[in-house]
Amino acid sequence: TQLLEQSPQFLSIQEGENLTVYCNSSSVFSSLQWYRQEPGEGPVLLVTVVTGGEVKKLKRLTFQFGDARKDSSLHITAAQPGDTGLYLCAGLMDSNYQLIWGAGTKLIIKP
Amino acid sequence: NAGVMQNPRHLVRRRGQEARLRCSPMKGHSHVYWYRQLPEEGLKFMVYLQKENIIDESGMPKERFSAEFPKEGPSILRIQQVVRGDSAAYFCASSPVVYSDRNTIYFGEGSWLTVV
């Protein structure tokens, strides 16, 4: 059983559409992070959210941490082919050093 | 600034052989973490080391797997008598102090192990 459930597992949409990826848990996290991973490469940190209800924006990407710090979402506006990749959420519990990972959302943006 | 360096990037081993994966942390980082990513899955914590010490190996299989981070040189993840199920991407990460919400961890590009 995954401690962090990501949905959808796979998403293929047309360029210009909007999308939201979810990361849910029944456990509380002290912080949640979103990473992007390209094939054959390591995960690259996009953002860290720490405070319940926090919203962070990175150009067309909006990240939100749930009020109860059990879930997070990533919203992409006007998706572009360059957004194609595997998006992973990961969290720390009780500020422990072990990152707990979701299984990822494979995103394909078609031109 | 060199990031976290892992080698080899790709390694093919026959069943029963040994695999050695090396990780050089970022300059000034003395905390190293190893994660494993099985196909179509997220990463799973394996082990956390500081120089010359294993701090937490709770995620590492009890048999065949070992890790070290000597005073000099890279951290090494060693897998003896590899089996097909060991085929995965192994990622190393490092941090200057113990990783928490207040700082950042940096990942290497991974070592892809294929057992044939």
Side-chain angles (χ1 to χ4, degrees), chain A residues 13-26:
Chain A
I13 61 172
Q14 291 294 137
E15 180 178 2
E17 294 183 17
N18 301 332
L19 68 108
T20 303
V21 175
Y22 299 93
C23 179
N24 296 308
S25 178
S26 57

Side-chain angles (χ1 to χ4, degrees), chain B:
Chain B
N1 270 339
V4 178
M5 305 299 291
Q6 291 189 244
N7 70 82
R9 293 294 317 280
H10 298 275
L11 182 64
V12 179
R13 284 287 177 265
R14 295 188 182 279
R15 280 177 293 170
Q17 290 185 320
E18 178 180 288
R20 280 192 184 223
L21 310 177
R22 288 175 290 277
C23 168
S24 295
M26 285 184 72
K27 188 176 180 180
H29 289 195
S30 58
H31 299 254
V32 165
Y33 315 80
W34 285 92
Y35 285 81
R36 177 165 66 173
Q37 185 178 32
L38 295 171
E40 308 300 323
E41 292 187 19
L43 284 71
K44 297 277 195 302
F45 170 81
M46 296 183 76
V47 61
Y48 163 36
L49 310 105
Q50 291 181 35
K51 283 281 187 183
E52 299 184 275
N53 288 306
I54 297 175
I55 306 302
D56 180 357
E57 55 183 351
S58 60
M60 203 149 69
K62 296 280 185 284
E63 297 179 353
R64 303 188 297 107
F65 284 72
S66 62
E68 63 176 10
F69 189 15
K71 188 176 179 182
E72 301 290 337
S75 175
I76 295 175
L77 180 66
R78 182 181 178 207
I79 311 172
Q80 295 178 287
Q81 298 174 324
V82 295
V83 301
R84 288 237 171 95
D86 297 332
S87 295
Y90 292 83
F91 291 98
C92 170
S94 74
S95 60
V97 296
V98 60
Y99 177 51
S100 73
D101 303 314
R102 297 179 184 81
N103 53 52
T104 302
I105 194 172
Y106 298 86
F107 281 87
E109 294 199 327
S111 290
W112 266 257
L113 171 66
T114 301
V115 179
V116 297

Side-chain angles (χ1 to χ4, degrees), chain A residues 21-43:
Chain A
V21 175
Y22 299 93
C23 179
N24 296 308
S25 178
S26 57
S27 301
V28 174
F29 287 85
S30 53
S31 65
L32 253 167
Q33 303 171 9
W34 286 91
Y35 289 81
R36 180 174 159 180
Q37 185 180 18
E38 302 290 344
E41 296 182 12

Side-chain angles (χ1 to χ4, degrees), chain A residues 75-90:
Chain A
H75 182 79
I76 301 179
T77 304
Q80 298 177 0
D83 295 328
T84 293
L86 179 67
Y87 290 82
L88 294 156
C89 67

